[in-house]
């Protein structure tokens, strides 16, 4: 039995590594990639199903979509910098808001 995995192109991996580095500087650790979304969390918590991020930001690696679930004011105040890091990722990927 073979397991089919989706592998991101090398250029996307490089751009994603740059985004991970920038997000880490802002206080967010890489959490996981699933279904075309990459999630960063400020903390990890137990949610009954295992470990999940708390105070998290998820971005789509295919489209210009962002989901943020933040409660910590210090993290909320970093949103302009987070937004710029994500926009830089999308620009490097050639993704626009029209996609």
């Amino acid at each position: 039995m073979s397991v089919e995995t989706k592998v991101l192109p090398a250029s996307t991996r490089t751009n994603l590594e740059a985004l991970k580095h920038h997000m880490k500087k802002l206080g967010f650790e890489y959490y996981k990639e699933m279904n075309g979304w990459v999630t960063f969390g400020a903390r990890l918590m137990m949610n009954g199903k295992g470990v999940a991020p708390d105070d998290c930001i998820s971005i789509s690696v295919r489209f210009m979509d962002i989901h943020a679930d933040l409660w910590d004011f210090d993290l909320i105040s970093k949103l302009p910098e987070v937004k710029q890091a994500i926009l830089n990722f999308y620009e490097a990927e050639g993704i626009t808001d029209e996609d």
Side-chain angles (χ1 to χ4, degrees):
M1 224 185 233
S2 68
V3 175
E4 184 179 329
T5 60
K6 293 184 179 181
V7 178
L8 294 174
S11 62
T12 299
R13 284 270 168 222
T14 300
N15 295 333
L16 193 53
E17 287 303 316
L19 178 61
K20 286 179 187 179
H21 178 72
H22 199 121
M23 292 293 282
K24 186 173 185 175
K25 287 186 347 187
L26 296 173
F28 295 90
E29 293 291 330
Y30 170 74
Y31 174 61
K32 71 177 177 178
E33 178 185 325
M34 189 171 83
N35 299 325
W37 286 83
V38 177
T39 301
F40 299 89
R43 291 175 292 282
L44 294 178
M45 64 174 191
M46 296 299 291
N47 68 357
K49 298 178 184 176
V51 178
D54 190 23
D55 280 334
C56 64
I57 294 176
S58 299
I59 70 159
S60 171
V61 295
R62 297 186 193 116
F63 306 103
M64 192 174 277
D65 291 325
I66 303 167
H67 170 79
D69 186 12
L70 301 175
W71 292 95
D72 184 313
F73 185 75
D74 288 338
L75 295 175
I76 292 169
S77 68
K78 292 180 182 182
L79 279 177
E81 292 176 81
V82 169
K83 177 183 173 186
Q84 189 58 54
I86 294 169
L87 289 175
N88 291 345
F89 169 79
Y90 285 138
E91 182 179 335
E93 285 294 297
I95 298 171
T96 66
D97 57 359
E98 298 157 0
D99 288 337

